[in-house]
Amino acid sequence: MASLLLFLCVAAAHLAGARDTTTTEEPRATAWGLEGRSLLHPVQPSPALEDWEEASEWTSWFNVDHPGGDGDFESLAAIRFYYGPARVCPLPLALEARTTDWALPSAVGERVHLNPTRGFWCLNREQPRGRRCSNYHVRFRCPLEAAWGAWGPWGPCSGSCGPGRRLRRRHCPSPAGDACPGRPLEAQKCVRPRCPGCSPDTCECPDHILLGSVVTPSGRPLPGARVFLQDQPGTIATSDAYGTFRVPGVCAGSRANVRAQMDGFSAGMAQAQANGSTSAVVTIVLDKLEKPYLVKHPESRVREAGQNVTFCCKASGTPMPKKYSWFHNGTQLDRREHRYGAHLELWELRPDQAGTYHCKAWNEAGTVRSSTARLTVLAPGQPACDPQPQEHPIKLPDDCSQPGSGPTYLDVGLCPDTRCPGPTGSSPRCGDAGSRCCSVRRLESREIYCSGYVLPVKVVAECGCQKCMPPLGLVRGRVVAADSGEPLRFAGILLGREPIGFTSYQGDFTIEVPPSTERLVVTFVDPSGEFVDTVRVLPFDPRGAGVYHEVKAMRKKALVILDASQSNTIPLGELEDQAPLGELVLPPGAFRRADGKPYRGAVEARVTFVDPRDLASAAAAPSDLRFVDSDGELAPLRTYGMFSVDLRAPGSAEQLQAGPVAVRVAAGHIHMKGHQEALKLWSLNPETGLGEEESSFGRQGPSAARVRREEHGACLPAFCDADRPDAYTALVTATLGGEELEPAPSRPRPLPATVGVAQPYLDRLSYLRTDHDDPAFKRNGFHVNLAKPRPGEPSEANGPVYPWRSLRECQEAPVTASHFRFARVEADRYEYNVVPFREAAPASWTGDLLAWWPNPQEFRACFLKVKIQGPQEYMVRSHNAGGSHPHTRGQLYGLRDTRSVRDPARPGTSAACVEFKCSGMLFDQRQVDRTLVTIVPQGSCRRVAVNGLLRDYLARHPPPAPAEDPAAFAMLAPLDPLGHNYGVYTVTDQSPRLAKEIAIGRCFDGSSDGFSREMKADTGTAVTFQCREPPAGRPSLFQRLLESPASALGDIRREMGQVSRAQARSVGPLRTRRGRARQ
């Protein structure tokens, strides 16, 4: 029991890294351009996919270093560290570098070095006199993953008699030969007729002896294992307390095959080896049984009648599952008719074969069921994609609506992100090559007449089958200590057992979800050893939208010294004024070294307990508390506590094992009916994130149980009770990319249509938003009773609370079903794009020169921090139009409205983080555009200051933007990601929402690497405005001009003089520096 995580749980069914790559030959480094199989002319665009002999593609652009010191360095190792190892292939074919102004090195006259396996570097000392390296970003050319051909026929069985094996092969079409993942060879057992000669009945060696042992892979002895000789019935021996056994009469030179079996372990076999003239030895290793789990699920497909389709399923476990069954619409398919295994191939499809398909896999430990895939079979001539777009209204700016009529909406159209039929002919591959989806085929331009201006917009005119945009599930977040909030720096990140990278200095991480992943199981390993290994099942959006998580890591408890020769008892759960939930009892002589040998002496023990009574501790609970039930379905658990045990020899890093131990749970803490009888001890499998049953509890003492949880609302697990609605309550909050969302109000009483739950069930749930009793409280969550739905009550049959057995029903519930609603605060933010795009569905991206996001594979978010000196909060608008590109100059990209946020430390001061369209290449990747950005506060405001560094940068990068309007700030947006010193915040990510939320967090904080939700208005600002509100009761300017013209004009002159003096103070230091430079 070393670094082992155990649960004390009840199952509800009982109640009613990237691998390092080395190369033997390193490509040479080149200078001045593109390294690879072809060199480019400096003004040509990058080579297209068809220009390469080998199927390959470019990665997105990377920029991890800024020029300074010795130059600019974009090493491949640093890129893999900060962006994740999966972003660049192990052996890139080529590398391209461009400046952030999108110029090739040769075009700016700089000498650079490029090496696909090392990266890019530019040295200041190698540049012409007086010149320093520009800021570069790079991308790599990577080969597309090759696919194996079909398996060949099985070869003949080896040997002439008895057991043997046969082989079959497959070939990789790649010229490299090793580019296809997996093995080219597969083996299968086979049996020929029994060999003549010696048999147990005819051949004996009475003076010979077989000495053996049965152990685990770590060397721990296994007592009580049953031992057999192959092809001989009955048990010949049982291993003793030390895992050893003796069998007389086995000939020393017979090379007998010896098998061993033990409950909870897979069967093992080994061949005896002679170690003398009359004796032989054998060691049999048994692996602990592990229930199967799915590593590949079948995927939905669309085909035309007469085409073929292949569904693929792959399971792992101990032993490896080899038996698969396939089901169509819940009915098992005949194995002999379809001749399936892990793959199901259907030929010449008929309409009646449409429907749902899933697989099940078996091994000795149990079964597992895959997710459901849907097969759509289209009749001849039936369109897969309706050319008529669906309705998709967007809200127009407030000044585009009729007075008193409320907001105006415009239908811009929407193409459903559905699959189109795959290629004709055979499809033996698990993935659809060249997959096509229903997406935008044609856009039309429209004009909307608003108050004083014309708003352009592009609407979807026609849908059609186009090449699918590959979905890219992205998970981003931060790992922090549960007790102090400090970041977990440089923690190892493992997917299953595979290391894929590290967290950053601030604890941040980004994980690209592998294709076809159903459960993303991630383990964070603290390099200092101060924290328990943190296993999390991280939800993600399979459609490609990014998800942000804050992961809490549990600090290990202080160590205690145990005496291995004595009985040791460690309490579990230590809350003030409350008794422990249970205790861990380690009997004398329970400790062993990793090789299985007994350990005697002092033991350093750290037992860390997650107490469900302590909400702060419960936030760090590992996994999602699921297990695979007897039907192969994922089912939730209900926990009474979880604990991790770390045992070590003093002054050594050696981990110790513990033999049979006792876990006791205080029965007085278990109040729910039936829980004491159903209580079991479970362990967590860090590779699958699933619980595995270890043992049951007796009535003599305290028990520890893992709890199976029921699913509710947005399919979140929780406790619930059928008899008492208030037996369990929950506080529910929600965030989107780090942004807190707001639930429906409950004052003066919750409204069913607003909350999303019908009456009378809503009253039974006692819904209360966090600000219900005190309006000053944050409105970021709600309290609710977890009242289990009652059979026969129609209002409770459709959510938001579901029994745990209805998890799939909850996950697939239509939007019309009852559910608790959260929303972003629309009044504080408004976004308008000329080319419509839904950030939650990256597949809705349309290639157009006026698209706000020019690259659907990588999203760059830019924000400007605007400080407001005024008595209230103000809406600030950014108007974004083409600035330097000949085809978009003067045309609108989009609008952004953002309400300023008060600085709690500075009365009368607020600031707004306003998004603007980043400058850079447009979607055709041919020429950059510096966006013309105009910032205008919506009020009686004047610009009084501009960040000096930003002003100098804009002056050194002409042309300047018009600046005649003192009530606005205009600029041609910089191509460089300037940073907080300029008041500009830029973040690039594969998810637009994540990029924006991270940039907003840095903008609030006023730093380039921090994160805050509390506005710091005086830090890292770009431009400052002064806004005034007329005093209460003061007549308007028009009235004052009519009543007292001289006084009104005097007030105007005085206000303009104050603004002029403030502007002079802001530019004074700059003029002084320039004046000194000219002397």
Side-chain angles (χ1 to χ4, degrees):
M1 186 185 291
S3 295
L4 176 66
L5 186 60
L6 298 170
F7 302 104
L8 314 173
C9 300
V10 176
H14 298 154
L15 300 178
R19 189 178 299 109
D20 291 336
T21 303
T22 59
T23 58
T24 56
E25 180 179 350
E26 186 179 89
R28 60 187 177 85
T30 60
W32 296 105
L34 175 75
E35 196 281 333
R37 301 185 181 178
S38 62
L39 292 176
L40 302 179
H41 189 275
V43 298
Q44 289 180 331
S46 304
L49 184 62
E50 293 74 21
D51 296 335
W52 290 75
E53 298 175 4
E54 184 173 343
S56 57
E57 63 183 353
W58 286 108
T59 66
S60 51
W61 292 92
F62 305 103
N63 188 354
V64 298
D65 186 40
H66 295 279
D70 295 332
D72 190 28
F73 301 84
E74 306 293 336
S75 76
L76 181 56
I79 289 170
R80 284 180 171 145
F81 179 83
Y82 287 106
Y83 286 87
R87 296 290 298 275
V88 183
C89 55
L91 290 175
L93 302 173
L95 181 153
E96 182 185 10
R98 289 178 180 260
T99 69
T100 52
D101 291 331
W102 296 96
L104 287 170
S106 56
V108 296
E110 295 178 3
R111 180 175 180 82
V112 301
H113 304 268
L114 303 96
N115 185 312
T117 60
R118 293 177 57 192
F120 163 92
W121 62 99
C122 174
L123 303 176
N124 289 330
R125 66 173 181 270
E126 296 181 349
Q127 307 313 313
R129 183 183 297 273
R131 186 174 184 86
R132 298 173 66 85
C133 293
S134 302
N135 189 10
Y136 284 90
H137 49 194
V138 299
R139 64 176 180 172
F140 297 84
R141 191 82 182 185
C142 285
L144 294 175
E145 183 176 288
W148 289 104
W151 284 104
W154 288 103
C157 190
S158 64
S160 58
C161 63
R165 66 173 189 163
R166 59 179 184 170
L167 306 175
R168 66 174 181 174
R169 291 177 169 83
R170 57 180 177 175
H171 297 282
C172 180
S174 169
D178 60 351
C180 298
R183 297 181 178 180
L185 200 66
E186 189 174 57
Q188 187 182 67
K189 292 181 180 179
C190 56
V191 180
R192 286 187 179 273
R194 189 185 187 94
C195 296
C198 182
S199 72
D201 299 327
T202 62
C203 180
E204 293 184 2
C205 303
D207 297 332
H208 291 209
I209 190 167
L210 172 66
L211 304 175
S213 61
V214 185
V215 297
T216 65
S218 65
R220 180 169 66 89
L222 291 176
R226 301 177 298 280
V227 182
F228 308 85
L229 280 178
Q230 191 173 8
D231 300 327
Q232 179 175 325
T235 302
I236 61 171
T238 301
S239 61
D240 60 19
Y242 301 98
T244 62
F245 60 89
R246 299 162 59 93
V247 182
V250 177
C251 300
S254 66
R255 302 178 65 86
N257 289 320
V258 187
R259 293 185 300 113
Q261 293 180 354
M262 185 173 177
D263 293 342
F265 291 83
S266 63
M269 185 174 67
Q271 193 174 69
Q273 303 292 329
N275 70 337
S277 59
T278 61
S279 64
V281 294
V282 66
T283 299
I284 307 171
V285 178
L286 301 187
D287 291 304
K288 186 177 179 182
L289 280 179
E290 182 182 63
K291 281 190 175 182
Y293 60 94
L294 268 300
V295 295
K296 183 172 183 59
H297 295 255
E299 300 178 29
S300 296
R301 294 283 182 258
V302 177
R303 292 289 188 270
E304 294 177 351
Q307 289 186 325
N308 310 324
V309 70
T310 299
F311 290 109
C312 299
C313 181
K314 183 179 179 182
S316 187
T318 305
M320 186 68 69
K322 294 184 179 179
K323 181 181 177 183
Y324 290 84
S325 292
W326 285 89
F327 297 79
H328 175 218
N329 291 335
T331 301
Q332 184 172 348
L333 297 174
D334 185 85
R335 189 186 309 273
R336 289 173 295 181
E337 176 185 351
H338 294 278
R339 298 181 180 178
Y340 58 69
H343 296 181
L344 172 65
E345 296 185 14
L346 303 176
W347 301 82
E348 299 180 359
L349 288 169
R350 307 181 307 273
D352 63 293
Q353 291 178 293
T356 61
Y357 289 83
H358 73 268
C359 76
K360 280 190 175 183
W362 278 268
N363 70 1
E364 298 172 21
T367 182
V368 65
R369 182 190 189 277
S370 75
S371 60
T372 299
R374 179 168 293 278
L375 173 63
T376 302
V377 180
L378 302 175
Q382 179 183 354
C385 179
D386 188 349
Q388 184 67 30
Q390 299 177 357
E391 182 180 11
H392 179 57
I394 65 168
K395 183 177 178 292
L396 296 176
D398 292 338
D399 48 4
C400 295
S401 59
Q402 299 296 322
S405 63
T408 299
Y409 290 84
L410 174 70
D411 180 14
V412 297
L414 171 69
C415 295
D417 184 23
T418 55
R419 292 272 180 172
C420 293
T424 58
S426 175
S427 178
R429 298 166 58 97
C430 291
D432 269 355
S435 297
R436 299 186 304 156
C437 297
C438 186
S439 55
V440 177
R441 174 170 287 173
R442 183 168 58 86
L443 293 171
E444 287 184 354
S445 297
R446 304 274 178 85
E447 290 184 343
I448 307 297
Y449 292 92
C450 303
S451 177
Y453 65 97
V454 176
L455 184 69
V457 64
K458 294 199 174 186
V459 300
V460 179
E462 183 183 0
C463 301
C465 289
Q466 313 278 359
K467 183 177 179 180
C468 291
M469 184 182 300
L472 184 63
L474 200 68
V475 172
R476 189 158 190 164
R478 190 165 179 248
V479 188
V480 298
D483 53 359
S484 65
E486 64 180 285
L488 207 64
R489 297 185 172 100
F490 309 119
I493 305 175
L494 285 76
L495 276 185
R497 296 190 179 100
E498 191 74 17
I500 61 169
F502 301 89
T503 60
S504 71
Y505 183 78
Q506 296 294 336
D508 300 313
F509 65 88
T510 300
I511 299 172
E512 189 174 317
V513 182
S516 305
T517 300
E518 290 287 329
R519 280 168 55 85
L520 182 66
V521 183
V522 183
T523 303
F524 299 94
V525 181
D526 173 36
S528 69
E530 286 300 310
F531 292 85
V532 176
D533 291 353
T534 305
V535 181
R536 287 289 186 277
V537 179
L538 299 179
F540 64 95
D541 189 340
R543 297 173 301 173
V547 181
Y548 188 90
H549 296 281
E550 184 170 76
V551 178
K552 306 282 190 180
M554 227 175 9
R555 193 184 303 274
K556 292 180 181 177
K557 289 292 185 182
L559 65 86
V560 294
I561 304 298
L562 308 180
D563 186 346
S565 63
Q566 303 293 323
S567 177
N568 298 277
T569 301
I570 301 175
L572 302 176
E574 301 176 4
L575 294 184
E576 292 185 10
D577 303 325
Q578 295 193 46
L581 270 172
E583 59 187 16
L584 175 65
V585 181
L586 298 101
F591 301 98
R592 296 185 180 274
R593 297 187 182 274
D595 59 3
K597 296 180 180 178
Y599 174 84
R600 298 176 179 85
V603 177
E604 291 183 347
R606 304 178 81 169
V607 178
T608 308
F609 187 71
V610 178
D611 195 327
R613 301 172 298 177
D614 180 6
L615 293 180
S617 168
S623 176
D624 59 351
L625 292 176
R626 301 289 185 96
F627 76 107
V628 178
D629 64 15
S630 58
D631 295 325
E633 302 272 3
L634 284 184
L637 290 162
R638 178 173 291 140
T639 185
Y640 281 95
M642 293 153 272
F643 61 96
S644 170
V645 182
D646 187 7
L647 305 173
R648 298 179 186 269
S652 169
E654 178 189 6
Q655 287 193 322
L656 301 177
Q657 308 285 340
V661 300
V663 180
R664 299 171 180 166
V665 175
H669 290 291
I670 303 175
H671 305 292
M672 299 297 292
K673 183 179 179 180
H675 281 204
Q676 292 189 19
E677 295 77 12
L679 202 60
K680 294 181 182 294
L681 183 68
W682 300 71
S683 64
L684 176 66
N685 185 327
E687 186 170 359
T688 65
L690 298 172
E692 297 179 356
E693 185 178 330
E694 294 289 336
S695 64
S696 299
F697 286 87
R699 290 283 303 172
Q700 66 184 56
S703 37
R706 179 192 261 197
V707 173
R708 185 177 203 159
R709 309 190 293 182
E710 299 184 359
E711 304 288 340
H712 307 277
C715 302
L716 301 174
F719 294 99
C720 72
D721 190 80
D723 300 324
R724 290 181 49 196
D726 60 347
Y728 300 106
T729 62
L731 169 63
V732 183
T733 62
T735 61
L736 181 64
E739 175 188 0
E740 290 182 338
L741 304 183
E742 185 176 296
S746 59
R747 290 169 58 95
R749 62 177 288 108
L751 301 176
T754 307
V755 176
V757 181
Q759 290 286 22
Y761 199 13
L762 180 59
D763 284 343
R764 191 163 173 250
L765 297 173
S766 299
Y767 175 92
L768 294 176
R769 197 167 70 177
T770 47
D771 67 334
H772 183 86
D773 297 323
D774 186 350
F777 270 52
K778 291 181 70 175
R779 299 174 293 179
N780 66 331
F782 63 86
H783 294 271
V784 67
N785 289 342
L786 295 173
K788 188 173 182 178
R790 296 170 293 188
E793 290 287 343
S795 68
E796 302 178 12
N798 259 339
V801 181
Y802 294 80
W804 70 268
R805 290 188 181 276
S806 303
L807 172 62
R808 191 177 301 275
E809 179 184 340
C810 174
Q811 292 173 333
E812 298 176 357
V815 71
T816 54
S818 291
H819 58 277
F820 296 114
R821 295 173 179 168
F822 282 88
R824 301 177 78 173
V825 185
E826 298 294 339
D828 293 339
R829 188 181 302 178
Y830 172 75
E831 300 177 358
Y832 173 78
N833 297 327
V834 170
V835 180
F837 174 67
R838 291 173 292 138
E839 293 177 354
S844 66
W845 180 86
T846 305
D848 192 278
L849 288 176
L850 293 178
W852 185 276
W853 307 99
N855 182 356
Q857 299 299 318
E858 189 167 76
F859 299 89
R860 187 181 181 200
C862 296
F863 284 79
L864 200 74
K865 190 167 184 177
V866 179
K867 179 180 176 180
I868 306 289
Q869 297 173 346
Q872 62 180 25
E873 298 174 341
Y874 299 84
M875 293 297 293
V876 183
R877 167 169 290 184
S878 75
H879 181 281
N880 302 267
S884 60
H885 196 288
H887 297 304
T888 62
R889 186 179 293 118
Q891 297 187 58
L892 183 68
Y893 290 115
L895 306 174
R896 296 293 187 268
D897 291 346
T898 305
R899 185 177 298 279
S900 65
V901 178
R902 296 179 187 273
D903 187 331
R906 291 169 177 78
T909 303
S910 63
C913 295
V914 187
E915 184 185 7
F916 65 90
K917 185 185 183 304
C918 304
S919 296
M921 286 283 188
L922 301 185
F923 97 100
D924 60 358
Q925 296 291 302
R926 293 185 178 275
Q927 188 173 345
V928 300
D929 182 33
R930 289 187 62 188
T931 310
L932 175 59
V933 181
T934 305
I935 304 295
V936 184
Q938 297 178 0
S940 179
C941 304
R942 288 185 174 273
R943 185 182 70 248
V944 295
V946 177
N947 183 295
L949 291 176
L950 177 61
R951 185 176 55 246
D952 287 351
Y953 177 92
L954 297 175
R956 288 186 284 106
H957 293 78
E964 294 85 5
D965 187 356
F969 169 73
M971 68 173 181
L972 286 176
L975 288 165
D976 295 297
L978 297 181
H980 69 285
N981 289 329
Y982 298 78
V984 178
Y985 302 85
T986 306
V987 172
T988 302
D989 202 279
Q990 292 170 291
S991 163
R993 285 186 172 178
L994 285 180
K996 290 163 67 170
E997 295 306 331
I998 293 170
I1000 290 173
R1002 294 176 179 176
C1003 179
F1004 268 58
D1005 191 58
S1007 67
S1008 292
D1009 56 2
F1011 189 90
S1012 175
R1013 282 297 170 202
E1014 190 173 276
M1015 179 60 75
K1016 302 174 183 177
D1018 278 352
T1019 307
T1021 59
V1023 59
T1024 302
F1025 288 88
Q1026 188 177 69
C1027 302
R1028 294 190 175 184
E1029 296 295 321
R1034 182 181 180 182
S1036 67
L1037 175 62
F1038 180 72
Q1039 290 174 325
R1040 287 190 289 147
L1041 286 171
L1042 288 178
E1043 298 172 359
S1044 179
S1047 175
L1049 291 173
D1051 291 344
I1052 294 174
R1053 293 191 191 97
R1054 185 167 55 256
E1055 291 174 3
M1056 293 183 65
Q1058 293 174 352
V1059 172
S1060 299
R1061 287 192 293 275
Q1063 290 177 333
R1065 285 194 298 271
S1066 67
V1067 301
L1070 176 64
R1071 290 175 177 171
T1072 302
R1073 289 194 298 271
R1074 289 177 177 172
R1076 290 175 180 171
R1078 287 194 295 266
Q1079 291 176 356

